[in-house]
Amino acid sequence: MLDNQNITEPFPIQQAAIPAVLSGRDVLGRGPTGSGKTFTFGLPMLALLAGAPSRPGRPRGLILAPTRELAAQIRQRLDEPAAAVNLRVIEVVGGVNINNHIRALAAPVDVLVATPGRAQDLINQGKLSFDDVAITAIDEADQMADMGFLPQVRKLLDATPDTGQRLLFSATLDGDVDKLVRGYLDDPVTHSTAPAAAAVDSMEHYQLLVGDRESRNEIVPLIAAREGKTIMFMRTKHGVDRQVKKLRRVGVNAQGIHGDKGQGARTRAIEGFADGSLPVLVATDIAARGIDISDVSLVVHIDPPAEHKAYLHRAGRTARAGTEGTVVTLVMDEQRKDVDTLLRKAGVDAEKVQVSAGSTELAKITGAREPSGDPLPPPGQTAAPAQKRNQRSGGSRRGRQQGTARTNSNGGRRRRRSSRRKES
């Protein structure tokens, strides 16, 4: 089964932590995303739960994740190995009609992958109980803390049996995460891989000095038109939407993800990016954590992040699982001092290169090239906007005339009926 996913040997954290999980110990795992954490907690969880029955709405295994995308990825990763041992894994996340989850919970569920808010909603409605949970895993605990989810996480952990086994995985283990560990893990075995800051060594980092905003905006579509998977980061949702429109107007197949996107649109974008049919993803920091997509060869900070931890997590979308990648930050003149400070705090030594739209350095570092120039319709829309307008207005001139005639005829009939009513 693992051979089907091209997994032939364990990652270091898997080799270290899986035996401890199988022995029943609480485990504290520290490592950056992309270090193999999903199978570190997922495979031994399935092995421990196999061979015993579960009941509807009462999972025996619980995995908490901070984002919908990460929850979906965890469930997808575990589907095949779970089926191999006759276990059922489902996900419950926000942004999806809760009735879909209620129907899914009406059948026995062995492992539940959940975002905290939706899990609590289902408990409040009496559709979900954690009374049978024997083993709980918390993934990306530091992001849970950053997003303000730890009070919800604590409430959910309080709903599981005190005797249950608990596994917690995080890139960092300070502050509120440490409080969670001390409050809920019993004498945990600690296993660490390289911290997030060390993972930057497998990437090439550049500050691309672009001058002013106009020059930067000329450069972005050239980079986006490169070959390979590219993630571009913006600070705001509006910035993401605007950038996607600009790229699609010049023929770059890009889609955006941010918190205001519906779950269906976010899922389609992630799936298209994962299978290679969508080469460019434009995102806010919602995508900077937990999305494990292979073969991302370039990360572009169109907007430099607000703080150094965000830089590391954004950058971590490339160079995953031992591969290499490139990270570039587009730096306008007025941003130079702030970006220098940011990278120093992140422990990143990024070469500074002056670039312009036609420079050979830009093409050498990023693979930039001219986009096709053939406009693409908005994501999810197959016909060109002009064609859509024609179809809505009757298509051809003849069709529009026929439509007008029908309207006039109907109007005439309405007037005649009105006249008859008046006469009577």
Side-chain angles (χ1 to χ4, degrees), residues 25-254:
R25 295 288 301 275
D26 284 5
V27 170
L28 179 58
R30 180 184 183 188
T33 54
S35 58
K37 289 182 293 179
T38 298
F39 278 169
T40 302
F41 60 77
L43 294 183
M45 178 183 288
L46 296 175
L48 291 169
L49 297 177
S54 297
R55 292 185 282 176
R58 300 173 71 95
R60 293 180 295 127
L62 171 64
I63 300 170
L64 295 176
T67 67
R68 309 170 198 174
E69 284 76 18
L70 180 56
Q73 284 191 93
I74 292 171
R75 193 267 305 157
Q76 290 164 2
R77 287 282 178 87
L78 297 183
D79 268 345
E80 190 175 352
V85 290
N86 296 314
L87 294 179
R88 179 172 179 247
V89 181
I90 69 168
E91 69 189 81
V92 297
V93 298
V96 175
N97 189 320
I98 197 168
N99 291 321
N100 296 341
H101 296 146
I102 291 172
R103 285 191 292 270
L105 290 167
V109 51
D110 300 292
V111 177
L112 183 75
V113 187
T115 50
R118 181 48 56 94
Q120 190 62 58
D121 289 343
L122 289 161
I123 289 174
N124 292 345
Q125 292 193 27
K127 305 298 182 181
L128 177 64
S129 169
F130 287 166
D131 289 350
D132 293 351
V133 170
I135 179 168
T136 301
I138 302 169
D139 196 16
E140 300 285 358
D142 50 339
Q143 189 183 11
M144 295 276 202
D146 292 343
M147 297 173 73
F149 288 164
L150 288 195
Q152 286 179 302
V153 171
R154 285 192 287 269
K155 188 174 181 179
L156 293 172
L157 286 174
D158 288 339
T160 66
D162 291 337
T163 55
Q165 185 179 2
R166 288 163 181 165
L167 320 171
L168 185 145
F169 291 82
S170 181
T172 59
L173 300 175
D174 52 1
D176 289 336
V177 176
D178 181 59
K179 294 177 184 177
L180 192 68
V181 170
R182 288 188 278 108
Y184 290 94
L185 272 67
D186 180 21
D187 188 26
V189 178
T190 302
H191 293 290
S192 298
T193 60
V200 301
D201 294 339
S202 59
M203 312 166 193
E204 292 185 343
H205 299 261
Y206 294 92
Q207 290 190 55
L208 300 186
L209 308 179
V210 298
D212 58 18
R213 184 174 299 275
E214 183 177 351
S215 298
R216 186 199 71 173
N217 292 345
E218 290 177 358
I219 285 170
V220 170
L222 302 177
I223 298 175
R226 64 184 291 274
E227 291 186 3
K229 294 180 183 178
T230 306
I231 299 183
M232 299 182 138
F233 283 104
M234 309 286 293
R235 279 199 186 183
T236 68
K237 302 168 187 176
H238 176 66
V240 168
D241 292 338
R242 186 171 52 190
Q243 189 63 63
V244 168
K245 289 179 181 177
K246 289 180 180 179
L247 293 176
R248 295 186 73 85
R249 277 200 298 264
V250 297
V252 175
N253 186 10

Side-chain angles (χ1 to χ4, degrees), residues 366-385:
T366 67
R369 60 183 183 179
E370 285 288 336
S372 71
D374 299 326
L376 296 172
Q381 182 175 306
T382 54

Side-chain angles (χ1 to χ4, degrees), residues 145-419:
D146 292 343
M147 297 173 73
F149 288 164
L150 288 195
Q152 286 179 302
V153 171
R154 285 192 287 269
K155 188 174 181 179
L156 293 172
L157 286 174
D158 288 339
T160 66
D162 291 337
T163 55
Q165 185 179 2
R166 288 163 181 165
L167 320 171
L168 185 145
F169 291 82
S170 181
T172 59
L173 300 175
D174 52 1
D176 289 336
V177 176
D178 181 59
K179 294 177 184 177
L180 192 68
V181 170
R182 288 188 278 108
Y184 290 94
L185 272 67
D186 180 21
D187 188 26
V189 178
T190 302
H191 293 290
S192 298
T193 60
V200 301
D201 294 339
S202 59
M203 312 166 193
E204 292 185 343
H205 299 261
Y206 294 92
Q207 290 190 55
L208 300 186
L209 308 179
V210 298
D212 58 18
R213 184 174 299 275
E214 183 177 351
S215 298
R216 186 199 71 173
N217 292 345
E218 290 177 358
I219 285 170
V220 170
L222 302 177
I223 298 175
R226 64 184 291 274
E227 291 186 3
K229 294 180 183 178
T230 306
I231 299 183
M232 299 182 138
F233 283 104
M234 309 286 293
R235 279 199 186 183
T236 68
K237 302 168 187 176
H238 176 66
V240 168
D241 292 338
R242 186 171 52 190
Q243 189 63 63
V244 168
K245 289 179 181 177
K246 289 180 180 179
L247 293 176
R248 295 186 73 85
R249 277 200 298 264
V250 297
V252 175
N253 186 10
Q255 290 190 34
I257 61 170
H258 54 64
D260 284 351
K261 293 283 186 184
Q263 187 56 40
R266 287 163 65 166
T267 299
R268 286 191 296 274
I270 294 296
E271 289 177 349
F273 192 62
D275 67 25
S277 60
L278 175 72
V280 180
L281 197 64
V282 186
T284 56
D285 284 336
I286 190 173
R289 294 292 300 269
I291 294 180
D292 186 3
I293 294 174
S294 62
D295 304 325
V296 177
S297 51
L298 181 68
V299 167
V300 182
H301 306 286
I302 300 176
D303 292 329
E307 46 92 31
H308 73 282
K309 287 173 69 175
Y311 180 95
L312 295 173
H313 296 314
R314 286 180 177 189
R317 298 316 93 205
T318 188
R320 300 178 72 77
T323 62
E324 296 181 351
T326 300
V327 182
V328 301
T329 305
L330 306 186
V331 186
M332 296 184 289
D333 291 342
E334 66 267 24
Q335 297 172 321
R336 289 194 184 193
K337 183 177 179 182
D338 289 341
V339 172
D340 282 342
T341 301
L342 177 99
L343 293 177
R344 185 169 59 252
K345 289 181 178 179
V348 171
D349 183 16
E351 181 182 350
K352 295 180 180 179
V353 182
Q354 190 85 40
V355 297
S356 62
S359 66
T360 56
E361 291 86 357
L362 180 68
K364 182 179 178 181
I365 293 169
T366 67
R369 60 183 183 179
E370 285 288 336
S372 71
D374 299 326
L376 296 172
Q381 182 175 306
T382 54
Q387 292 174 314
K388 291 279 189 180
R389 287 193 295 270
N390 275 344
Q391 290 166 3
R392 285 194 295 266
S393 62
S396 66
R397 181 180 176 186
R398 180 183 176 187
R400 289 194 295 273
Q401 290 170 339
Q402 290 172 342
T404 303
R406 285 192 295 269
T407 301
N408 289 341
S409 173
N410 290 338
R413 285 195 294 270
R414 283 195 294 271
R415 285 193 294 272
R416 285 195 293 273
R417 284 195 297 270
S418 176
S419 297

